[in-house]
Amino acid sequence: MSTIALSPGLVQRRAINPWIIALAVVIPTFMEVLDTTIANVALRYIAGGLSAAVIDSEWVLTSYLAANATILPISGWLSARLGRRRYFLMSIAVFTVASALCGMATSLGQIILFRVIQGLAGGGLQPSSQGVLLDAFPPEKQGTAQTIFGVAALLAPVVGPTLGGYLTVQYDWRWIFYINVPVGALALVMCYFVVEDPDYLKKERAELRRRPLNFDYIGLGLLALVMSSWEIVLSKGQEWDWLGDPFWRVQTLLGLFVLGLGYLIFREMRIGNPVVNFRPLGERNLAVSCLIIFCAFGVLYGVSTSLPGLLQSLFGYDAYVSGLVQSPAGIFSILTLPVVGILLGRRCDARWLIAVGLLVMAAGCYWMAVMNLQISPSQVVWPRVVTITGLSMIFAPLSVAAFKYVPAHLRGAAVGLFALLRNEGGSVGTSMAQTVQERREQFHLSRVNEFLDPLNQYVSTFLEQARALFFQQTGDPAGSQLRALQRLAEERDRQGASLAFFDVFFVAAVLGVALAFLVLLMKRSVAEKGAHVGAD
């Protein structure tokens, strides 16, 4: 797993200012996390530009997240074999080139392929940059350094929709990928000159080279099979009618997922050098924290993909405006992180901060669930602010609670599992939000139809007024009647779709409340003096 995220003991440091190193390594991390959400508001534009169905454009998100999740478990092994600096620079370079290829794609298949390459390269950026930060700063300043990393990791998904919307509307959707090229080139040059492997990593690499190559290829193959089956089911399940699929595609993929996951766990628990080490999950705090971060990121990405869809399809906002109303949440997330860090530093129990954060997140989602189609943009801003503030409150406390009781020799594996489930939660949340929205839209349309009959006085009044209006405009009695009925059907569809979006937010709120009760299963988690409490 990603053992590079936790460096041991005393590290020989170069004479370069550590804040320069921090700036250099946070840039590619921000860029990589940004790409998980920057395409959210542009999916409809991408689908239109590539002549693809909107439902298929979800692959632009899920393929990236699945590739990220697949590479994370072996990023530590790759870093140790290639050298952290070399692996980090290679990841930045490949990510930048893949971004340019995404912008030049001429079909949906091409952009999905290049997004997979992007995700595979990006998977090594977060743990590598985190390891560099830990080595660059002395122990007493590592909390501050990791908080910078946490700000980048949390702010990027929030800024993504705004930046993506601006580039899509003002230029073209391809610029949400082209923008990575100059940023990636700058990061590559900076990291080339300021990042260097410390002596202990060089010794470890030399020692590994003397040993025979011992890599769990079977485990990696099983992991790829499990992740691929899972992602395809999530992305295509609704389109293929889930377990009602007459061609048994979903059933077959679910079977492969269950059997593959079962054998993967069985195998990895019995070998000495597993590609995915599940042993840390035996520690209760880590297991509960992984479940919470998985579901919390599911809420974050589910809400972050549904809200732009609601604003663009029913409110008539363009991609830029729909992203702009979500951007103030980023400011409040930055303000929340240091406050939480101070509370943890004063020995506040992380469990209660997690519980409060989850309840605040649930309150924000519920606020969005009770919106209507007559609200102004400002009335979208504050529910989003509350939701993201709640999520900001749980990042650092989860870092404290998850790893406090994990043995030192398993912490690298624990960090990898935590990051793996965090990223996969976003993928699941995106797919589940789409499924809930489409299923509930069908339900609400059928219920609304039950009341649209000639005996309903409100329906009769609406049709009479609409018919009179259209007759005044056209002077055609028959045409006016048809246009009145069409207007009624459009309003029915609009209301049904809005109720479905609000149901997505309500499900997210219920999930947030349910997660808050999980903290009762955790052991007391108080940060020790001088301990790292960065929101990584």
Side-chain angles (χ1 to χ4, degrees):
M1 300 295 283
S2 305
T3 54
I4 54 176
L6 294 164
S7 50
L10 184 63
V11 177
Q12 181 179 350
R13 296 180 179 85
R14 301 172 65 193
I16 298 177
N17 189 314
W19 291 106
I20 296 177
I21 298 176
L23 175 64
V25 300
V26 164
I27 290 175
T29 297
F30 183 86
M31 178 178 66
E32 188 269 330
V33 180
L34 183 75
D35 265 54
T36 61
T37 59
I38 194 171
N40 285 353
V41 295
L43 290 181
R44 288 170 169 78
Y45 296 81
I46 294 173
L50 299 177
S51 301
V54 175
I55 189 173
D56 291 335
S57 67
E58 294 285 346
W59 277 94
V60 175
L61 301 179
T62 54
S63 60
Y64 179 86
L65 292 169
N68 244 253
T70 302
I71 203 67
L72 266 170
I74 64 169
S75 59
W77 186 88
L78 289 171
S79 177
R81 283 284 176 178
L82 299 175
R84 185 174 66 194
R85 178 179 182 272
R86 181 178 299 173
Y87 177 54
F88 191 40
L89 295 177
M90 286 175 57
S91 297
I92 297 173
V94 174
F95 186 91
T96 304
V97 172
S99 298
L101 292 174
C102 287
M104 293 185 287
T106 58
S107 68
L108 187 63
Q110 285 184 9
I111 196 171
I112 290 172
L113 172 63
F114 298 143
R115 284 285 279 179
V116 169
I117 298 174
Q118 243 194 338
L120 292 174
L125 292 178
Q126 290 188 52
S128 295
S129 61
Q130 202 170 358
V132 171
L133 282 173
L134 286 170
D135 286 344
F137 284 82
E140 65 272 13
K141 293 186 177 180
Q142 285 182 1
T144 303
Q146 292 301 309
T147 299
I148 295 174
F149 178 88
V151 169
L154 180 61
L155 185 61
V158 179
V159 171
T162 305
L163 180 60
Y166 177 79
L167 293 173
T168 299
V169 172
Q170 299 298 326
Y171 300 97
D172 186 75
W173 65 263
R174 297 180 185 276
W175 280 96
I176 66 178
F177 301 110
Y178 287 147
I179 194 175
N180 287 336
V181 176
V183 177
L186 173 64
L188 183 63
V189 172
M190 291 181 66
C191 292
Y192 180 83
F193 287 106
V194 304
V195 174
E196 183 176 327
D197 286 342
D199 290 340
Y200 81 90
L201 282 181
K202 294 178 181 178
K203 293 178 182 178
E204 286 182 5
R205 185 185 173 204
E207 185 178 348
L208 283 173
R209 283 189 165 186
R210 289 193 293 267
R211 299 178 185 174
L213 185 63
N214 183 21
F215 182 69
D216 182 16
Y217 294 103
I218 296 177
L220 179 61
L222 287 170
L223 177 64
L225 173 66
V226 167
M227 297 305 301
S228 300
S229 301
W230 180 239
E231 290 296 338
I232 294 173
V233 167
L234 288 174
S235 297
K236 291 293 186 180
Q238 173 65 13
E239 181 182 346
W240 293 344
D241 196 26
W242 295 102
L243 296 178
D245 181 12
F247 299 102
W248 280 76
R249 292 164 294 188
V250 173
Q251 296 90 329
T252 301
L253 289 169
L254 280 177
L256 289 174
F257 169 75
V258 173
L259 293 175
L261 181 60
Y263 183 50
L264 177 66
I265 296 174
F266 176 79
R267 172 184 169 78
E268 302 302 276
M269 293 294 288
R270 291 176 176 268
I271 63 175
N273 187 33
V275 69
V276 183
N277 191 346
F278 292 100
R279 294 179 180 88
L281 291 177
E283 205 293 303
R284 190 172 68 199
N285 266 30
L286 176 64
V288 175
S289 297
C290 284
L291 179 58
I292 290 175
I293 198 67
F294 176 86
C295 295
F297 259 64
V299 169
L300 172 63
Y301 280 82
V303 171
S304 296
T305 53
S306 296
L307 188 56
L310 169 68
L311 297 177
Q312 292 179 44
S313 62
L314 300 181
F315 284 80
Y317 295 1
D318 60 26
Y320 174 54
V321 176
S322 66
L324 193 63
V325 297
Q326 300 177 73
S327 59
I331 300 173
F332 286 86
S333 68
I334 295 175
L335 297 176
T336 302
L337 282 173
V339 174
V340 173
I342 292 172
L343 292 174
L344 287 171
R346 293 183 176 178
R347 301 182 61 79
C348 179
D349 195 332
R351 295 177 299 172
W352 311 129
L353 290 175
I354 295 170
V356 172
L358 290 170
L359 292 175
V360 171
M361 179 191 74
C365 292
Y366 181 75
W367 194 351
M368 287 190 284
V370 296
M371 293 190 303
N372 56 56
L373 295 179
Q374 282 72 49
I375 60 175
S376 64
S378 63
Q379 291 172 299
V380 181
V381 170
W382 292 110
R384 174 75 172 172
V385 166
V386 173
T387 301
I388 299 303
T389 299
L391 283 164
S392 303
M393 292 178 66
I394 71 174
F395 268 68
L398 273 176
S399 177
V400 172
F403 307 118
K404 182 174 178 61
Y405 298 101
V406 176
H409 68 283
L410 291 178
R411 284 184 181 172
V415 168
L417 279 171
F418 195 75
L420 175 66
L421 290 171
R422 180 182 62 195
N423 285 16
E424 188 59 19
S427 180
V428 173
T430 299
S431 298
M432 289 296 98
Q434 178 188 355
T435 298
V436 171
Q437 191 271 326
E438 292 185 10
R439 290 290 177 105
R440 295 299 291 178
E441 183 174 356
Q442 296 171 9
F443 168 79
H444 287 300
L445 285 177
S446 65
R447 291 305 305 272
V448 171
N449 272 333
E450 295 175 5
F451 298 92
L452 298 182
D453 61 76
L455 300 180
N456 188 321
Q457 62 174 341
Y458 298 105
V459 173
S460 301
T461 302
F462 177 88
L463 290 175
E464 288 175 4
Q465 293 176 347
R467 185 167 54 246
L469 175 63
F470 292 131
F471 180 75
Q472 184 180 8
Q473 294 174 350
T474 64
D476 180 4
S480 299
Q481 176 69 14
L482 290 176
R483 291 185 65 180
L485 291 172
Q486 182 182 7
R487 182 67 187 87
L488 179 63
E490 290 173 353
E491 186 61 27
R492 176 204 61 190
D493 294 343
R494 189 164 175 260
Q495 293 295 330
S498 69
L499 292 172
F501 279 114
F502 299 149
D503 283 349
V504 172
F505 304 141
F506 181 78
V507 170
V510 172
L511 182 59
V513 173
L515 289 174
F517 288 97
L518 290 180
V519 300
L520 299 176
L521 302 177
M522 301 170 71
K523 293 177 282 189
R524 188 171 184 268
S525 304
V526 176
E528 300 297 333
K529 185 176 181 180
H532 159 52
V533 294
D536 52 357

